[in-house]
Amino acid sequence: MRNGEVFSNRADVAVVGGGVIGLSVARELGRRGLSVRLVERNRCGGEASFAAGGMLAPQIEADARDAFFELACRSRDLYPAFAGELLDETGVSVELDCTGTLLLALTEEDEHEAEHRRRWQQAAGFEVERLTGEEARELEPSVSPRVRSALRFGRDWQVDNRQLISALVASAQKYNVSIHEHTEVLGLRVEHHCVRGIETTRGNLQAANFVIAGGAWSSLIRAKADSLAEATDDSPLTPLIQPVRGQMLCFKSEEVFARHVLCSPRGYIVPRRDWRLLAGATVEQVGFDRSVTDVGKRFVMRNAEEIAPSITRLSLVDEWAGLRPRGESAWPVLGRANNVDNLLYATGHFRNGILLAPITARIIADLITRRDGSPEFDHEWLKAFAPERLHTAVA
Ligand code: FAD
Ligand code: GLY
């Protein structure tokens, strides 16, 4: 059911937000046999999840083998099965492309940074290959003659994030998830350290558990002040999530322009199967402003041209901007609110929400369905992402 008017019975789980994260969590819970309602204030997948480049690239930017790197690599490794299941369940291909990613070095500093990355990743057993500038151009003729060397990450992939949204909506519905679009959550009713329900523009919704997956808007989804009258410390400590704008340009080629995702430390070009090329992206803190600006477009164009000068000869067919959800540490916030028992957060995925969707779904579903502990995820490791590590009280 999409766009149901009335919330009749109490669900096992209510998920707030229909981006890639809310949809992946709702689908996974539905697969496990729970009754799930998802509420989205507009259309599903219309915000950051629509704007993304679809790179599944934990390795290109990683400078240390920390908890985040492990989370990102584990999620990337889930993708072939995730994409296969979505295809079987819905007939929608998410166009998982495993050609790989080139990180191009154009300056001495770029080379230095890349060399550090290659060394520690190879020593730790991760796949990465060094190419000369010439080898990079042999592999991808559109790459700039100014490229001095490159790293090839054969396991940093890409997916079509818009197809992914369509597949997730269809799959979630197959698992009987009720998706309510054009339904905005106005606030949580919290009593005695428990969310009793959520108020929406279409009435009150009750559930045993609540998952906040509101992307860049997650910090605005709070307890209603009047529901907290009895005990002020009932108020959940809401993680601080801020919007970070990313502007993108989209070009169309008449033939294959590149097969790998092409990146520099300043920008990237993602080649799609239909010969569109997505060039990104700005990283701007400008509040909830999703506009595309002349300054932003020039920045993206300059960085795309540095990677592949001939891109300027292609037709510019589209442009857009989206708001990445960034937590205080830039790591995602995954887990139970520390003082409200049945409230969970799945947010703050910043630049990697498409990549992190499958593992986020499994972590949140395990927290809800396996109260005695997850066999897959180490409790101590999960603490690196827990909301309780942040102490940002609701104003
Ligand atoms: P969103 O997709 O923003 O979804 C949140 C949803 O919650 C929205 O639909 C919103 O309407 C809804 N909502 C909010 N408040 C309420 C409310 N009160 N009631 C009901 N609904 C509500 N990631 C990658 O892994 N690879 C990439 O290559 C990549 N490239 C990117 C490029 C750009 C330009 C941008 C902007 C992002 C990129 N990202 C990438 C990051 C990725 O897009 C995000 O991390 C991810 O989409 C976040 O998903 P989400 O579901 O948390 O948020
Ligand atoms: N991960 C790409 C971006 O956020 O622009």
Side-chain angles (χ1 to χ4, degrees):
M1 180 179 68
R2 218 167 170 181
N3 293 336
E5 286 282 340
V6 184
F7 302 123
S8 46
N9 41 2
R10 183 174 186 260
D12 292 325
V13 187
V15 177
V16 182
V20 71
I21 299 299
L23 287 167
S24 300
V25 169
R27 167 188 177 265
E28 183 62 28
L29 289 163
R31 260 159 66 97
R32 296 189 189 195
L34 276 70
S35 63
V36 185
R37 287 189 192 280
L38 180 147
V39 277
E40 162 55 50
R41 66 175 172 198
N42 294 316
R43 296 286 315 267
C44 284
E47 295 288 353
S49 303
F50 182 84
M55 287 179 280
L56 310 177
Q59 289 179 238
I60 51 164
E61 288 183 340
D63 284 322
R65 191 174 188 173
D66 53 19
F68 178 78
F69 183 68
E70 191 185 330
L71 184 80
C73 287
R74 286 178 73 172
S75 200
R76 184 248 337 253
D77 295 345
L78 291 173
Y79 250 96
F82 186 53
E85 287 160 8
L86 288 171
L87 181 63
D88 290 346
E89 289 160 5
T90 68
V92 179
S93 166
V94 301
E95 299 190 2
L96 175 67
D97 183 320
C98 299
T99 308
T101 297
L102 295 187
L103 176 62
L104 307 169
L106 288 115
T107 66
E108 205 179 321
E109 201 185 329
D110 292 353
E111 285 201 295
H112 185 72
E113 199 178 293
E115 185 53 15
H116 166 72
R117 218 158 277 166
R118 181 188 70 78
R119 279 209 190 139
W120 84 259
Q121 291 194 15
Q122 271 182 352
F126 292 93
E127 185 184 320
V128 46
E129 182 189 351
R130 188 178 186 282
L131 306 177
T132 62
E134 235 157 69
E135 286 167 337
R137 280 182 289 277
E138 255 166 46
L139 201 58
E140 291 292 356
S142 58
V143 156
S144 168
R146 288 187 46 232
V147 166
R148 298 154 71 116
S149 61
L151 296 183
R152 179 172 182 278
F153 295 91
R155 293 182 59 77
D156 273 2
W157 305 325
Q158 63 144 315
V159 74
D160 185 319
N161 41 293
R162 296 180 186 175
Q163 293 285 99
L164 177 61
I165 292 296
S166 304
L168 284 169
V169 167
S171 169
Q173 286 174 320
K174 276 212 143 173
Y175 291 115
N176 297 318
V177 173
S178 304
I179 297 179
H180 304 270
E181 294 183 317
H182 307 291
T183 307
E184 183 168 4
V185 169
L186 304 171
L188 314 175
R189 299 211 67 83
V190 182
E191 285 168 23
H192 305 298
H193 300 280
C194 191
V195 182
R196 301 290 172 196
I198 50 183
E199 287 184 16
T200 82
T201 45
R202 292 195 181 189
N204 294 337
L205 168 52
Q206 291 182 346
N209 295 279
F210 297 83
V211 179
I212 306 296
W217 297 267
S218 296
S219 295
L220 307 179
I221 302 165
R222 299 173 174 179
K224 299 279 280 185
D226 59 344
S227 78
L228 297 170
E230 283 185 19
T232 47
D233 68 349
D234 263 3
S235 172
L237 293 175
T238 305
L240 179 65
I241 305 295
Q242 290 181 317
V244 178
R245 183 169 71 187
Q247 301 188 45
M248 299 267 272
L249 298 178
C250 177
F251 299 86
K252 179 84 184 175
S253 176
E254 298 297 313
E255 56 191 354
V256 176
F257 185 87
R259 290 187 172 81
H260 290 78
V261 174
L262 306 177
C263 297
S264 79
R266 294 161 290 282
Y268 54 82
I269 298 174
V270 183
R272 291 285 201 238
R273 283 192 192 160
D274 61 2
W275 298 343
R276 280 180 313 133
L277 297 150
L278 314 189
T282 62
V283 181
E284 308 164 84
Q285 282 186 293
V286 289
F288 290 96
D289 176 358
R290 255 201 260 93
S291 349
V292 175
T293 65
D294 287 343
V295 174
K297 282 162 66 172
R298 278 199 296 276
F299 174 87
V300 174
M301 192 66 173
R302 192 166 59 242
N303 292 326
E305 191 178 357
E306 186 192 38
I307 291 170
S310 55
I311 201 165
T312 55
R313 295 205 289 272
L314 304 182
S315 321
L316 178 65
V317 291
D318 206 353
E319 57 192 39
W320 60 81
L323 299 176
R324 306 175 182 91
R326 186 189 191 282
E328 282 168 282
S329 69
W331 284 14
V333 179
L334 310 173
R336 264 175 214 287
N338 62 344
N339 58 347
V340 177
D341 196 43
N342 61 344
L343 176 65
L344 294 95
Y345 287 96
T347 186
H349 293 77
F350 192 32
R351 306 188 65 196
N352 288 291
I354 307 300
L355 166 64
L356 296 171
I359 202 157
T360 298
R362 284 161 84 136
I363 289 172
I364 299 297
D366 269 15
L367 287 169
I368 290 173
T369 59
R370 297 175 187 269
R371 292 296 299 228
D372 299 336
S374 163
E376 195 180 353
F377 304 111
D378 176 62
H379 180 71
E380 286 304 309
W381 174 68
L382 280 183
K383 278 187 182 165
F385 311 104
E388 68 211 30
R389 79 186 199 281
L390 309 165
H391 299 286
T392 314
V394 170

